Amino acid sequence: MDIDTGLHPVPLRRRTQNTAEFNQLPAHVFPENAQRTADGEIEIAGVKLSDLAQQHGTAAFILDEEDFRNRCRRIATAFGGGERVHYASKAFLSKTVCKWIAEEGLSLDVASYGELQVALQAGFPAERITVHGNNKSREFLELAVTAGVELIVVDSLQEISTLSEVATSCGRTQDVLVRVTPGVHVDTHEFIATSHEDQKFGFSLASGAARRAALSCADATSVSLRGLHCHVGSQVFEAAGFVLAAERLLRLWADLLSELPGEEADVLDVLDLGGGYGIAYMPDHEALDVEAVAAELLQKVSDAAAAVGVPHPVVNVEPGRAIAGPAMVTLYTVGTVKDVETSDRAVRRYISVDGGMADNIRPALYQAEYDVRVANRELAGQLVPARVVGSHCESGDVLVNDVLVPDDLVPGDLLVIPATGAYCYSMSSRYNMMLRPPVIVVKEGESRVMIRRETLEDALALEA
């Protein structure tokens, strides 16, 4: 119920119905090994979050290793083999993650020189790496070619020319995919929709630029055209957008087969449909049914290939969020708690934590929504409208915009925000010199540091 203050409660789009429901953990949002124990505390993989807070401080990222690995296995099985599933490293990358991905038999995609360096230093097999980027430097291309990466996704005519020079000078022939913008619009935020025409990635299908780029690859020295690539966007839960993109790309595929010389047409075999598979961030979100999406997608690609008379292509996919996102949570300590009366006499409780937009920029950048729970105990108070905010000097430093929390939440309580494994640590910053949190791995009742907490000495060491 709403607290009776004599003021008007702030209207919320989603409401926890009661305090008992607030104390429950939505299983499809939290890591698979998360639970609230009999003493009211939340533990993940047998490790209490309060113990981790005491050992490592807060803010801190907590990663369930088995959850991460199980999602790798599930997606690999759904798409018929891990070698065709390229983990999107931009979601969350470390040397340890590279080793997990390799051990689970998946491939990897990288989108920068730095990501490729991390993968190679971790010993990840170069022949299972796909390289992305709309502005690859010559240095980046040289490293990719000399390392022997499987595929480079070309994004401009300038890049095709440079890559031809680099590969020729290295004495190698480099397999490539052409990134195509097929004009498929999916229901997602403008900033994470990547398949419409007017944006920085790829070659337009409608204008004929994609066809010209593919023929340029076929003509280029030391470059071998292996197929086509597209990415329809992010937070996609249904196969329809991928299917429509595949149908459009396969029509281009058929045209290319009729125009390319026989030996060049024969090596055309890879259709990469990108990533963007969604996850549940909120209790009323549905989790991705990866088996259903994969089965429909693969069948529709087969049907579309048959319809245009081309051989069934090898289908690559690039999930990142769907693997890393649900496996991690962020743990904070509550600091200031205060009630704020708004101009229309509504009241909202502001709950400040020891982190914020530097460790999770997504709410400010994409208006992303997150769930939140108290980790160290069960609460018993009446529900009040609240907003969870960070400690940065920005009014937009909001982690959870609208939530109902029990009114007995107090400073010193631990808050946990789930589904923070993708694009939180990887997009983190030192804004206001709030240094990057550690990443703590939990498994079978034990914990270990994957990435240590950044220190002021780390930051000052960069100064000349």
Side-chain angles (χ1 to χ4, degrees):
M1 66 175 64
D2 296 325
I3 188 170
D4 184 10
T5 62
L7 301 173
H8 305 294
V10 177
L12 302 179
R13 233 175 21 86
R14 293 187 176 88
R15 289 185 178 274
T16 303
Q17 297 301 311
N18 52 60
T19 301
E21 186 178 304
F22 179 85
N23 288 323
Q24 297 170 2
L25 302 187
H28 63 300
V29 178
F30 275 77
E32 63 182 37
N33 293 307
Q35 64 173 348
R36 194 177 289 278
T37 62
D39 60 5
E41 295 203 43
I42 295 176
E43 67 174 25
I44 301 178
V47 181
K48 288 185 177 181
L49 297 186
S50 61
D51 289 343
L52 294 176
Q54 186 174 19
Q55 294 169 27
H56 303 285
T58 56
F61 292 102
I62 314 300
L63 176 58
D64 182 343
E65 179 180 345
E66 278 304 311
D67 184 293
F68 188 102
R69 288 181 179 271
N70 287 342
R71 292 177 193 278
C72 289
R73 296 165 190 161
R74 184 179 172 191
I75 291 177
T77 300
F79 282 98
E83 69 280 0
R84 302 276 56 102
V85 176
H86 289 64
Y87 172 72
S89 61
K90 66 176 185 173
F92 174 63
L93 183 66
S94 71
K95 290 171 68 175
T96 299
V97 165
C98 288
K99 291 174 182 177
W100 291 353
I101 294 295
E103 289 167 359
E104 296 302 333
L106 273 63
S107 297
L108 187 72
D109 84 46
V110 298
S112 74
Y113 182 73
E115 288 179 352
L116 179 56
Q117 286 183 310
V118 170
L120 296 175
Q121 289 188 28
F124 196 91
E127 65 274 13
R128 281 159 50 192
I129 296 177
T130 293
V131 173
H132 288 274
N134 66 297
N135 187 33
K136 304 179 192 73
S137 66
R138 180 179 287 268
E139 183 183 29
F140 187 11
L141 292 173
E142 287 173 348
L143 178 61
V145 172
T146 56
V149 301
E150 179 188 10
L151 294 163
I152 295 178
V153 181
V154 294
D155 202 86
S156 68
L157 295 177
Q158 174 184 327
E159 181 185 342
I160 295 169
S161 175
T162 303
L163 177 60
S164 176
E165 294 173 5
V166 167
T168 299
S169 66
C170 293
R172 303 176 65 97
T173 296
Q174 178 61 53
D175 290 348
V176 302
L177 305 179
V178 170
R179 178 152 182 172
V180 181
T181 51
V184 175
H185 295 268
V186 295
D187 184 17
T188 190
H189 193 281
E190 175 188 0
F191 292 172
I192 52 177
T194 55
S195 188
H196 55 277
E197 301 287 345
D198 188 11
Q199 49 95 23
K200 73 175 188 176
F201 292 111
F203 297 92
S204 164
L205 180 62
S207 71
R211 172 185 165 276
R212 293 190 292 273
L215 295 177
S216 293
C217 289
D219 291 338
T221 304
S222 303
V223 173
S224 177
L225 178 65
R226 283 282 306 281
L228 304 174
H229 175 283
C230 72
H231 183 72
V232 299
S234 297
Q235 273 298 88
V236 181
F237 288 86
E238 298 177 349
F242 298 108
V243 169
L244 180 56
E247 291 172 346
R248 293 183 180 181
L249 264 63
L250 285 171
R251 286 196 287 270
L252 171 60
W253 191 297
D255 292 340
L256 292 173
L257 288 180
S258 67
E259 295 185 66
L260 293 172
E263 66 275 10
E264 294 179 0
D266 289 343
V267 300
L268 200 66
D269 66 339
V270 177
L271 179 65
D272 191 327
L273 296 175
Y277 301 94
I279 66 171
Y281 284 99
M282 300 289 289
D284 63 344
H285 292 175
E286 291 187 10
L288 174 70
D289 187 341
V290 66
E291 290 82 7
V293 171
E296 181 180 358
L297 176 60
L298 294 175
Q299 183 59 54
K300 294 290 187 181
V301 169
S302 179
D303 295 344
V308 297
V310 301
H312 190 293
V314 172
V315 178
N316 285 359
V317 293
E318 300 170 349
R321 181 199 318 261
I323 293 173
M328 189 184 290
V329 304
T330 311
L331 185 62
Y332 302 101
T333 299
V334 175
T336 300
V337 177
K338 67 179 180 181
D339 290 337
V340 175
E341 182 180 343
T342 63
S343 58
D344 59 356
R345 290 187 57 75
V347 65
R348 191 195 304 274
R349 182 157 295 177
Y350 276 73
I351 302 166
S352 299
V353 298
D354 54 350
M357 64 193 305
D359 59 73
N360 188 351
I361 193 63
R362 296 186 68 255
L365 189 60
Y366 304 134
Q367 293 77 58
E369 296 179 298
Y370 285 93
D371 190 40
V372 63
R373 307 287 153 150
V374 171
N376 56 300
R377 63 191 179 101
E378 290 188 322
L379 300 186
Q382 292 184 318
L383 297 179
V384 296
R387 178 170 287 165
V388 180
V389 298
S391 299
H392 299 82
C393 191
E394 296 285 344
S395 58
D397 179 25
V398 176
L399 291 170
V400 181
N401 192 50
D402 289 320
V403 65
L404 287 174
V405 301
D407 62 4
D408 55 337
L409 181 147
V410 297
D413 277 332
L414 298 175
L415 291 189
V416 57
I417 293 181
T420 56
Y423 307 106
C424 289
Y425 189 90
S426 61
M427 297 174 77
S428 62
S429 73
R430 291 198 192 115
Y431 186 48
N432 287 158
M433 274 296 167
M434 293 184 63
L435 303 165
R436 291 177 179 87
V439 179
I440 312 300
V441 176
V442 290
K443 180 182 179 182
E444 296 177 348
E446 298 184 352
S447 65
R448 67 184 189 278
V449 176
M450 174 192 283
I451 302 174
R452 67 168 172 81
R453 184 180 299 280
E454 193 174 40
T455 67
L456 184 59
E457 288 71 26
D458 293 328
L460 292 177
L462 297 175
E463 296 195 21

